[in-house]
Amino acid sequence: MGAFNCKERRAFQITQENLRQTAQKYLTAVKKAGEVYRTIEKAKGKGNFIPEVSMDETDSAQSPVELLIILAAIADEGIPVQTIAPRFSGRFNKGVDYIGDVTQLSASLRLTSRPIAYAVEHFGLPENLKLSVHSGSDKFSIYPAIHATMKKFNAGVHLKTAGTTWLEELIGLAEAGGEGLALAKEIYAEAYAHREELCAPTPR
């Protein structure tokens, strides 16, 4: 049916079957995301929050073609998405390093970055649209691959921490009392004092 080209002289063919299968699997979810976005926009006002669409809980990783079709659907829904979280190969368990083939993941990161760049240029999605890696904290073995990909494509990345891990540690410190409680209070006070800075979006 059509094709899109990447910067490394590789073209991905999009067929009617690609469209049908991807729409069957993801279109209902994208439409629901559009409803959620418009509800939040009505309450908070346009531009006062950062939309992200996440699909990292699916049963398999999305192909570049699937991701491009999903991004087209997101654009059709009028969602000014700033971060997109696809499913990657391997396992991103909380609190431990990446479990899987780092070389394969590196290739997947490069492939994933291409439809994002294409969607920004052709679908009118925000220029600061970033790839989001969920439960990315503690995944030290894949950081070089993430850095290389972002540098190659001059792109940003949203690295989502496994927040429950450090929160549980903080709860343990507080419940221990004494020096542990004092440290937990110090961490909370510092975080609260810098909350505007810490919650601000990072530039691409």
Side-chain angles (χ1 to χ4, degrees):
M1 179 178 180
F4 74 97
N5 295 293
C6 70
K7 295 182 179 180
E8 295 184 358
R9 298 180 182 177
R10 181 176 177 183
F12 295 93
Q13 197 71 27
I14 301 175
T15 66
Q16 288 283 1
E17 186 63 14
N18 292 145
L19 289 171
R20 186 191 66 78
Q21 290 183 351
T22 305
Q24 187 177 49
K25 187 170 184 178
Y26 295 106
L27 189 56
T28 299
V30 173
K31 287 186 174 296
K32 178 59 69 174
E35 293 176 14
V36 172
Y37 168 76
R38 288 184 285 275
T39 298
I40 298 173
E41 182 187 51
K42 185 176 180 180
K44 296 180 70 70
K46 189 172 184 178
N48 292 325
F49 60 101
I50 301 171
E52 174 177 288
V53 174
S54 169
M55 61 196 76
D56 64 314
E57 299 292 341
T58 56
D59 55 357
S60 60
Q62 293 82 28
S63 70
V65 168
E66 285 179 319
L67 183 58
L68 186 70
I69 295 169
I70 291 165
L71 288 169
I74 289 171
D76 284 345
E77 281 293 317
I79 307 171
V81 61
Q82 293 189 35
T83 58
I84 182 82
R87 167 74 182 268
F88 292 106
S89 60
R91 296 182 61 179
F92 287 76
N93 295 345
K94 299 182 187 302
V96 297
D97 204 345
Y98 171 73
I99 302 171
D101 186 332
V102 176
T103 301
Q104 182 181 352
L105 179 70
S106 180
S108 179
L109 286 167
R110 292 195 301 273
L111 288 171
T112 301
S113 296
R114 296 172 189 138
I116 291 174
Y118 187 95
V120 169
E121 181 178 356
H122 295 276
F123 301 158
L125 291 174
E127 291 186 0
N128 65 339
L129 175 58
K130 302 176 182 69
L131 180 67
S132 184
V133 182
H134 279 199
S135 296
S137 57
D138 311 303
K139 309 300 182 287
F140 302 110
S141 64
I142 68 172
Y143 289 175
I146 292 174
H147 177 261
T149 301
M150 298 306 106
K151 187 175 181 180
K152 179 178 180 63
F153 289 92
N154 189 31
V157 62
H158 171 235
L159 192 67
K160 184 179 177 183
T161 62
T164 54
T165 301
W166 76 268
L167 284 175
E168 289 299 326
E169 295 292 342
L170 201 60
I171 290 170
L173 286 170
E175 289 180 342
E179 293 182 4
L181 178 58
L183 178 58
K185 288 180 177 179
E186 181 182 349
I187 292 171
Y188 176 83
E190 284 292 320
Y192 187 79
H194 296 278
R195 63 192 183 281
E196 296 297 332
E197 173 190 348
L198 294 171
C199 292
T202 56
R204 186 176 182 181

